[in-house]
Amino acid sequence: MPAKTLLPILISIVAMPLFSQTDSSSLEGRVTDPQGGSVAGAQIRLVNQATGAERKAQTGANGSYIFNLIPSGRYDVEATSPGFKAFRDTGIPVDVATPARLDIPLEVGVVSDRVEVTAVVSLLNTESAAQGTVIGEEKIQSLPLNGRQFIDLALLSPNVTIGGSSVQQNKVRLNQDGGFSASGNRTNNNGFMLDGISNLDLDYMSLSLTPILDTLSEFQVQTGQQTAEYGHAAGAQINVVTKSGGSQWHGDGWEFIRNRVFDARPFNLFSDLPKFQRNQFGGTAGGPVLKNKLFVFGGYERLALRQAAAGLTTVTVPTTLERQGDFSASQKTIYDPLTSPRTAFPNDAIPLTRLNPLALIAINGVPLANVPNTNNKYINTNEVLVQDSNNYSLRADYVATPSITMFGRYSATREDDSSPGLVPGRAAIGQTLPQNIAYGMTWVLSPQSVNEFRAGFNRMNYSSGVPEPLFDVNGTESPLPYFKLTSYADMGGAGGGASLVRDNTFQVYDNWSRQMGRHLIKAGAEFLFFEYVPITAPNAYGTYQFSSGQTAKSSASDGTGSVLASFLLGYSSTASRSLGGGRMDGHQPNGAFYVQDQIRLTNKLTVNLGLRYEIAPPLYDTRGQTMGLDFSQVPSAQAIFATGQTGIYEPTFFICGQSGYPKGCAYTDKNNFAPRFGLAWQAAPQTVFRMGAGIYYSLTDFSSISRLTNSLPANIAQTLTNSTFAPVYQGYGASVFPPNVVVNPALSVNLYSLDLHQRTSYAIQMSSSIQHQIGKSGVIEIGYLGTLGLKLQQNVQVSNSLPGSTAVAGRRPYVGAIFLPSTVFPYYINVQGGSVGAGTMAILPNTAQSNYHSLYIRGEKRFSRGLSYISSFTFSKAITNAPQFRNAGGATGSENSPPQNSYDLSAERGLAAFNAKFRWVNSTVYELPFGAGKPMLSKGVLSNILGGWQVAGIMSLQTGFPFTINITGDSAGIGGGSGGILIRGNPVPGQNAELPADQ
């Protein structure tokens, strides 16, 4: 075998990537004579209009040809064969990751005669069962987008919804849309690719970098039946391709302005409109550097936002006298906690010598009242919401030889924002830096064989939270504890909680294809390596909460005392701090390989058979500070309830990677085979029937796994409780707390674990559809798509009891966890005894299920004669028995809502948060028929004034998302922990929960 052929085969065998998924496309067709017979041996020449890159192919015995692994764009096609006139067509469109078809009819004559034609690339997909929608450049440039985010255009596709109430990432990155639900899958089950390289934020499993809109050539939303080269996402694959430079220099610029000058005055606002200024501007440029060899394209965009009065809230602040310990005007009687029986301070004024110095610093750090006619109300009207975003991208394309082309691209965005707090100095600061690097090389080994290599890197750095403010403490800038006083503005420090997340994706993959008669064989392999490092700042300086009971006569409810007075005296009701912080240095290798055969059984029938294999050991912490629970030595909760032996059993606590347990806290699932099948039958020249089925595996939500660092072995909280009349501590600072934490059976901590033998989440998908081409530029498709989600992740609290009215502690199936003798804890953990008590004990098993069924119709007209449109209507139903992590939809509007009954998960079955029964989306771009080259007003002054204008719009109509009625609190007495409201209201007999149709 020649070396040049052997090399790419070896690469495809040993290289392993993220998604061996590619953004490359194909162009194929059949060359026929005037009688419709096959023309074998015809020479086909394909030229990329932008770069001049050239490919050649030769037709087989049945007259067919194919150009595989070509970039999307416009091409010129030439076909020659002895005894026939030469054929030439220009501007053939090839969409991203979509097979195109061009059948070439030859006329009898001599080769020196040329026939210039304007052939029509078929809008029918006659090669695969893949379901998807291509969003072309004219829609990207013309359709109105608030915020200029391309992902909003993905909603033009059928079987796509916005993902329920909201995608969680949308709430922490200003003006950022992070994802959507596709084909009944969770919003964190989508794959995002930028020039074939992963563009996924591992923390939220959603979009990482939003590229500049004007740097995009086109993108495709693949909602189902992806071939075997695509993986790691059971939902949609979003394939985005950036523009490359062309043979001529060109560029553009823009600015979008919005400020209060353009805003209407609300009916209830009588003063001037608050400051609002939003500027979004930028430009692009591209062209040749070396003629027919090297091309570049770059872009820059800036967003600057300044908004006053964003979410104004009135808060209570101490009065001038109260800041001095004088409550004589506060209508509160303040009692001295050092007296017994308690006696009131004279004139309800605390002596200055008794005031805690740290409390005085903190209370005077809060602004005085500014609301008219009050002495203790404040509104923060001075600080302004600030957001600055700088987005840039640079791409180079190089034609090394006629058979080797390469490209490289770097894109990044720097986002900085500041959101004012309730009082000055407590603004939440956010900083985000997503980066994406891509390199690709395509090598034409022969007219029948092509190899494609890609390598890339994706990084997301994100930080958010309130920085610890500094105060003047005895002439030194120092932080203070966080003082939390009910009904008052926050005082002192921030209380920790600021977060930093850094995730990296290293990716390399190789795809090889070869045409062998009626078979198009594709094979590839990929390897990616994930690094995920979430860090949460510990509450190192402590949080203190207060009750009026510390300065009351008899109790906190007798109407005497004040939380402010208790605070100034240094008597808190509880004091807590965290040790160790929350950090995970997560690593995960991830590999896959695939093989696929596209078989053209006849000129009208094509079958796709593929097999993909993926393997991904669970994410592991390189610092060895994640925990797990082994339930193999204790009965199941159901068995415990059956025997009535509650309040006794304790599973085994282990540190992942110690004592023979896996370092990823669960064993690797090695059974991830994903077969794919597709069929396309061209029943008539303008009609195609397609059907397919396949299995698709998903990545695990990394944020949920980081919960395994939120407790032992390294992250633990110290909590002290003060008695109202017999305080055990006074004051603030590190001296209040013991030097280490005693861990024993009497201590109650929250414990988390994966299922040791968990399976990888996956979906089984099936579809069928009929496509019919209308005229030269229109197509209509009617189809069915169904998805069955299996082994989905959920949060199950196994420490909850069955409903009851007695004390929960004795009714829990598990009361704590036993330590293995070999368990090694950090130095600040003082273990006394062989176990620890448990508050909430939660496991994160992959046991949830979902199903989705839809009927859809999609009509599309490609841009021609000044008009293009897409209309998509979906009738669907999505059902599941668990919400996803990190989605603000859920049963309660909060993330990871646990089930009401952890021991009857089938009772959780209901409509998914993202279910929309009916959804109809329409988009239109219309170029007005005025100006040069148009049918009306093609000359003169009006031609210059009215020419070049477009009208574009999007209309979306859908039914509402489900809503669940919940009850706050643990009314069932099950001991449910945090993570959402557990209890749902019971229907009242004879009452209909649905509103009348006219309301």
Side-chain angles (χ1 to χ4, degrees):
M1 181 179 294
K4 71 175 184 178
T5 304
L6 179 61
L7 177 60
I9 295 177
L10 292 176
I11 292 175
S12 69
I13 293 175
V14 302
M16 305 188 66
L18 178 171
F19 297 44
S20 195
Q21 29 231 45
T22 176
D23 58 356
S24 297
S25 309
S26 65
L27 175 65
E28 65 178 289
R30 184 166 174 254
V31 179
T32 58
D33 59 25
Q35 288 74 42
S38 301
V39 178
Q43 302 297 316
I44 314 296
R45 180 171 173 262
L46 182 73
V47 179
N48 187 307
Q49 284 190 339
T51 64
E54 180 179 313
R55 293 271 292 271
K56 294 180 179 180
Q58 180 175 301
T59 59
N62 62 347
S64 63
Y65 72 93
I66 185 168
F67 293 100
N68 200 35
L69 296 176
I70 59 175
S72 60
R74 289 190 172 271
Y75 289 85
D76 296 337
V77 177
E78 293 182 358
T80 60
S81 182
F84 297 94
K85 296 179 181 179
F87 170 95
R88 177 178 169 81
D89 190 12
T90 60
I92 299 297
V94 176
D95 294 330
V96 53
T98 303
R101 184 172 184 84
L102 178 66
D103 291 325
I104 300 175
L106 296 182
E107 298 181 11
V108 176
V110 296
V111 175
S112 58
D113 293 337
R114 173 175 292 180
V115 178
E116 296 279 353
V117 301
T118 303
V120 177
V121 173
S122 175
L123 297 178
L124 304 175
N125 185 346
T126 61
E127 280 70 47
S128 74
Q131 305 286 335
T133 301
V134 174
I135 309 298
E137 185 175 358
E138 88 284 348
K139 294 182 178 62
I140 294 174
Q141 298 294 328
S142 302
L143 290 175
L145 292 174
N146 184 13
R148 289 174 52 80
Q149 297 193 58
F150 82 92
I151 193 174
D152 292 339
L153 294 177
L155 299 175
L156 302 179
S157 305
N159 296 301
V160 172
T161 72
I162 60 175
S165 172
S166 175
V167 178
Q168 189 77 7
Q169 189 199 43
N170 301 5
K171 295 194 171 185
V172 296
R173 289 178 66 185
L174 296 182
N175 297 309
Q176 170 73 32
D177 292 340
F180 52 84
S181 170
S183 305
N185 290 279
R186 297 174 171 185
T187 61
N188 56 3
N189 281 353
N190 297 323
F192 293 91
M193 289 177 290
L194 186 59
D195 290 325
I197 296 300
S198 171
N199 186 20
L200 196 66
D201 173 10
L202 301 178
D203 191 37
Y204 290 91
M205 291 300 171
S206 57
L207 179 65
S208 178
L209 182 144
T210 297
I212 304 170
L213 205 61
D214 290 66
T215 64
L216 302 186
S217 173
E218 61 182 8
F219 70 94
Q220 185 191 47
V221 183
Q222 302 180 55
T223 54
Q225 302 310 328
Q226 296 95 344
T227 53
E229 58 200 292
Y230 296 94
H232 298 288
Q237 296 280 1
I238 299 87
N239 239 318
V240 181
V241 176
T242 60
K243 291 180 181 178
S244 59
S247 57
Q248 295 182 343
W249 280 95
H250 60 276
D252 64 351
W254 63 88
E255 180 166 10
F256 298 87
I257 301 174
R258 181 187 166 195
N259 56 44
R260 61 183 176 183
V261 175
F262 302 102
D263 290 346
R265 188 189 307 275
F267 74 92
N268 59 346
L269 180 65
F270 301 100
S271 61
D272 291 337
L273 285 168
K275 179 178 182 179
F276 184 91
Q277 185 174 337
R278 190 180 192 276
N279 297 83
Q280 193 167 10
F281 58 91
T284 66
V289 176
L290 297 175
K291 185 177 180 181
N292 296 330
K293 296 289 288 184
L294 179 62
F295 309 86
V296 297
F297 189 90
Y300 170 78
E301 183 174 62
R302 174 174 171 80
L303 169 65
L305 173 66
R306 303 293 184 269
Q307 181 178 2
L312 296 180
T313 303
T314 302
V315 295
T316 302
V317 295
T319 66
T320 302
L321 289 177
E322 289 171 342
R323 295 164 191 260
Q324 304 169 23
D326 187 346
F327 293 84
S328 59
S330 303
Q331 299 181 349
K332 290 287 186 180
T333 303
I334 308 303
Y335 286 83
D336 186 349
L338 296 183
T339 59
S340 181
R342 288 186 174 177
T343 58
F345 285 108
N347 299 320
D348 297 315
I350 303 172
L352 295 179
T353 56
R354 295 279 299 277
L355 299 179
N356 184 280
L358 294 183
L360 285 174
I361 295 172
I363 202 171
N364 287 301
V366 178
L368 293 169
N370 67 352
V371 176
N373 302 318
T374 72
N375 65 353
N376 67 343
K377 300 298 180 183
Y378 179 84
I379 299 177
N380 185 5
T381 59
N382 297 322
E383 293 186 318
V384 176
L385 184 148
V386 176
Q387 182 185 9
D388 292 305
S389 174
N390 295 279
N391 197 337
Y392 38 93
S393 179
L394 181 64
R395 171 173 173 149
D397 290 79
Y398 182 59
V399 182
T401 69
S403 60
I404 298 177
T405 58
M406 293 180 283
F407 84 92
R409 178 195 44 77
Y410 173 75
S411 302
T413 302
R414 176 61 187 257
E415 305 167 13
D416 297 283
D417 61 79
S418 174
S419 301
L422 298 180
V423 295
R426 307 186 79 89
I429 306 299
Q431 294 182 333
T432 306
L433 179 60
Q435 302 174 78
N436 189 277
I437 301 173
Y439 167 78
M441 182 183 72
T442 302
W443 185 5
V444 181
L445 305 170
S446 70
Q448 293 79 31
S449 182
V450 184
N451 191 82
E452 175 190 52
F453 173 80
R454 293 284 173 95
F457 171 70
N458 188 73
R459 166 173 286 182
M460 166 62 82
N461 278 358
Y462 172 75
S463 62
S464 66
V466 179
E468 289 290 346
L470 298 178
F471 300 84
D472 185 353
V473 180
N474 299 323
T476 302
E477 293 288 301
S478 302
L480 289 181
Y482 171 39
F483 301 114
K484 189 173 183 180
L485 286 74
T486 304
S487 301
Y488 282 88
D490 291 339
M491 303 182 198
S499 63
L500 168 67
V501 178
R502 181 177 66 252
D503 57 64
N504 299 323
T505 298
F506 302 87
Q507 179 181 357
V508 59
Y509 64 84
D510 193 271
N511 294 318
W512 172 78
S513 71
R514 183 175 180 84
Q515 181 75 35
M516 302 173 64
R518 294 183 178 271
H519 297 263
L520 175 60
I521 307 295
K522 298 181 72 175
E526 61 186 355
F527 176 79
L528 48 81
F529 187 79
F530 295 129
E531 294 180 343
Y532 174 64
V533 184
I535 303 172
T536 301
N539 180 17
Y541 306 106
T543 292
Y544 297 83
Q545 299 189 56
F546 299 87
S547 165
S548 61
Q550 312 297 336
T551 50
K553 181 178 181 179
S554 58
S555 71
S557 59
D558 66 5
T560 63
S562 165
V563 291
L564 272 178
S566 302
F567 162 58
L568 288 169
L569 285 167
Y571 289 104
S572 64
S573 56
T574 63
S576 62
R577 69 170 180 174
S578 58
L579 298 176
R583 173 169 180 162
M584 180 181 191
D585 286 18
H587 285 184
Q588 184 190 60
N590 197 310
F593 61 85
Y594 77 93
V595 61
Q596 180 167 306
D597 189 2
Q598 177 179 307
I599 312 169
R600 183 166 287 277
L601 296 177
T602 70
N603 292 331
K604 298 185 181 299
L605 179 63
T606 300
V607 173
N608 283 274
L609 300 175
L611 179 64
R612 182 180 180 88
Y613 178 75
E614 301 176 4
I615 185 166
L619 183 76
Y620 65 92
D621 181 18
T622 60
R623 303 167 76 237
Q625 294 188 351
T626 49
M627 64 156 294
L629 297 171
D630 185 354
F631 290 84
S632 63
Q633 303 302 313
V634 294
S636 67
Q638 289 84 347
I640 293 173
F641 291 134
T643 60
Q645 295 180 325
T646 57
I648 300 174
Y649 292 101
E650 297 175 310
T652 301
F653 173 96
F654 64 87
I655 298 176
C656 304
Q658 293 186 18
S659 307
Y661 286 96
K663 62 182 180 180
C665 306
Y667 298 104
T668 302
D669 181 6
K670 301 179 180 180
N671 190 34
N672 299 338
F673 290 94
R676 312 285 169 87
F677 165 77
L679 179 148
W681 173 45
Q682 191 168 4
Q686 304 299 321
T687 305
V688 173
F689 170 76
R690 303 186 303 145
M691 62 176 293
I695 294 178
Y696 302 85
Y697 288 91
S698 295
L699 296 172
T700 299
D701 190 313
F702 282 1
S703 175
S704 62
I705 299 177
S706 69
R707 291 171 178 268
L708 305 183
T709 65
N710 288 353
S711 184
L712 294 173
N715 185 1
I716 194 166
Q718 287 180 299
T719 301
L720 307 178
T721 302
N722 246 346
S723 169
T724 302
F725 286 90
V728 295
Y729 67 89
Q730 181 188 10
Y732 314 115
S735 60
V736 171
F737 299 93
N740 55 36
V741 181
V742 175
V743 174
N744 57 34
L747 179 68
S748 180
V749 299
N750 293 336
L751 301 174
Y752 307 94
S753 178
L754 300 180
D755 179 354
L756 265 171
H757 302 280
Q758 69 179 17
R759 292 284 307 278
T760 305
S761 299
Y762 67 98
I764 301 173
Q765 195 175 86
M766 61 211 77
S767 70
S768 62
S769 67
I770 296 176
Q771 286 185 338
H772 181 73
Q773 184 162 331
I774 302 173
K776 294 183 178 181
S777 58
V779 66
I780 187 170
E781 180 176 20
I782 302 174
Y784 160 81
L785 189 146
T787 302
L788 175 63
L790 298 170
K791 310 298 181 183
L792 306 179
Q793 192 179 51
Q794 65 183 135
N795 176 14
V796 180
Q797 297 182 352
V798 295
S799 56
N800 292 357
S801 70
L802 296 178
S805 58
T806 59
V808 173
R811 294 187 288 111
R812 293 186 185 274
Y814 308 110
V815 296
I818 298 174
F819 298 135
L820 291 170
S822 57
T823 305
V824 179
F825 289 95
Y827 69 91
Y828 49 83
I829 304 294
N830 181 10
V831 177
Q832 296 179 1
S835 65
V836 65
T840 298
M841 186 181 296
I843 60 173
L844 312 175
N846 291 357
T847 53
Q849 297 182 7
S850 68
N851 67 73
Y852 174 83
H853 299 279
S854 78
L855 297 174
Y856 68 90
I857 180 170
R858 180 178 68 92
E860 179 177 359
K861 182 184 184 302
R862 278 192 173 176
F863 192 77
S864 65
R865 297 184 180 180
L867 177 66
S868 74
Y869 64 79
I870 296 178
S871 181
S872 302
F873 178 81
T874 306
F875 168 45
S876 65
K877 190 172 187 178
I879 295 176
T880 186
N881 62 355
Q884 71 184 59
F885 282 81
R886 302 305 288 264
N887 182 21
T892 68
S894 61
E895 62 178 88
N896 69 284
S897 301
Q900 178 177 257
N901 185 350
S902 296
Y903 316 108
D904 184 11
L905 300 181
S906 62
E908 298 298 306
R909 187 176 186 271
L911 295 176
F914 46 78
N915 177 74
K917 184 175 182 179
F918 299 110
R919 180 171 172 81
W920 184 29
V921 185
N922 301 272
S923 66
T924 302
V925 176
Y926 176 60
E927 194 174 75
L928 297 182
F930 310 123
K934 297 298 191 302
M936 303 175 64
L937 299 177
S938 59
K939 297 180 181 180
V941 177
L942 289 179
S943 171
N944 296 327
I945 295 175
L946 300 178
W949 288 91
Q950 289 182 334
V951 177
I954 299 174
M955 181 186 73
S956 299
L957 302 171
Q958 75 166 51
T959 51
F961 292 118
F963 177 77
T964 300
I965 300 174
N966 299 288
I967 299 175
T968 302
D970 184 13
S971 59
I974 62 174
S978 61
I981 303 173
L982 297 164
I983 309 302
R984 298 185 292 270
N986 293 323
V988 178
Q991 298 293 322
N992 188 354
E994 297 184 1
L995 288 173
D998 59 347
Q999 295 186 24

